[in-house]
Amino acid sequence: MPRPREFEPDAVLDQAMLRFWWQGYRATSIEDLVKATGVKPGSLYSAFPGGKRTLFLRSLERYSKLVVPQKLGELAAPGASLSELRGYFDGLVSDLLSPEGRQGCLLVNTAIENAAEDDEAAAVVRGHLARLEQCMTTALRNARDTGEVRASVDPGRQRQAAGGDVPGAHGRGEGEPRRDGTARDRRQRLHRPRLTGRARGHRERWPLFQPS
């Protein structure tokens, strides 16, 4: 009779996601994941057949589910308009100027590091970019319909002009991110996704509203 699992898969994914986000796919070893999750290699491979790559792909899905909605914020609302679009870019600039902002966006980092070599990772990245583009287009269309922008504005074309370079603008910054960095002075402003288990101890490493 198999022994019951002594860990929560979602908690393991939270830890793996943070490690991949912090270090990148190639720089993260199975030993790193074992240390981060506290789960032995055999148990990791049993729960996640395929090992490191499976954990990485599942981490991307986890990021899309937990982190991306927070980063999009009100821009994802059906009624989003010009103010939400401004808020999105204000948040991007603010976060890029913060020390923890150097960590970048896991999906953009993946696009730079893995997408050309991994079709499954590339598919997740494409889905994310399509989601962002749709949010921007909807906000611009709403702004046009309410008279906030000229009636002649083409939401699709303006979205490309306004947001075409955004995905490449917030990958990981030059050099390695600070591994001892915190955001104590900003905690009162943070609205982070809910994490399970041990990942709660890493909350200070989640950038604030760094739009993807």
Side-chain angles (χ1 to χ4, degrees):
M1 182 175 178
R3 295 178 59 186
R5 288 178 180 167
E6 298 177 354
F7 59 88
E8 291 292 333
D10 284 349
V12 170
L13 283 175
D14 286 340
Q15 291 297 323
M17 178 186 70
L18 288 167
R19 185 55 63 109
F20 286 126
W21 190 0
W22 198 246
Q23 292 183 201
Y25 178 74
R26 292 189 183 91
T28 300
S29 65
I30 284 293
E31 289 75 17
D32 290 330
L33 295 170
V34 167
K35 182 178 179 179
T37 62
V39 179
K40 294 180 180 179
S43 297
L44 275 180
Y45 280 101
S46 177
F48 303 96
K52 175 181 168 179
R53 182 170 180 273
T54 297
L55 272 168
F56 179 65
L57 293 174
R58 293 283 300 277
S59 293
L60 292 181
E61 295 171 359
R62 188 80 171 158
Y63 184 93
S64 295
K65 178 181 178 181
L66 291 182
V67 182
V68 169
Q70 177 194 345
K71 292 185 174 186
L72 290 174
E74 294 302 316
L75 184 62
S81 191
L82 209 56
S83 62
E84 286 75 22
L85 193 58
R86 287 195 187 102
Y88 176 88
F89 283 104
D90 286 345
L92 172 60
V93 172
S94 175
D95 201 63
L96 287 175
L97 293 175
S98 69
E100 65 271 21
R102 293 172 62 86
Q103 189 172 342
C105 166
L106 176 59
L107 289 168
V108 173
N109 294 342
T110 297
I112 295 170
E113 182 183 18
N114 304 81
E117 304 171 0
D118 192 320
D119 290 342
E120 289 185 73
V124 177
V125 172
R126 285 196 300 271
H128 165 64
L129 296 181
R131 181 180 184 182
L132 172 59
E133 290 172 358
Q134 183 58 52
C135 288
M136 286 186 168
T137 300
T138 297
L140 287 167
R141 184 179 295 118
N142 290 338
R144 182 190 61 186
D145 293 346
T146 57
E148 292 183 88
V149 297
R150 296 189 306 274
S152 60
V153 165
D154 180 341
R157 185 178 298 275
Q158 291 301 315
R159 183 269 303 161
Q160 290 178 340
D165 292 332
V166 170
H170 60 281
R172 183 171 289 115
E174 295 181 3
E176 289 295 322
R178 287 178 54 193
R179 301 197 179 189
D180 60 347
T182 63
R184 293 188 180 93
D185 59 328
R186 299 171 68 209
R187 282 178 180 169
Q188 297 303 316
R189 296 168 50 214
L190 298 182
H191 298 281
R192 297 184 175 85
R194 186 185 187 92
L195 295 179
T196 58
R198 292 162 43 122
R200 293 193 182 102
H202 294 264
R203 284 180 174 174
E204 67 272 20
R205 290 184 176 179
W206 293 67
L208 166 67
F209 197 56
Q210 184 188 322
S212 302

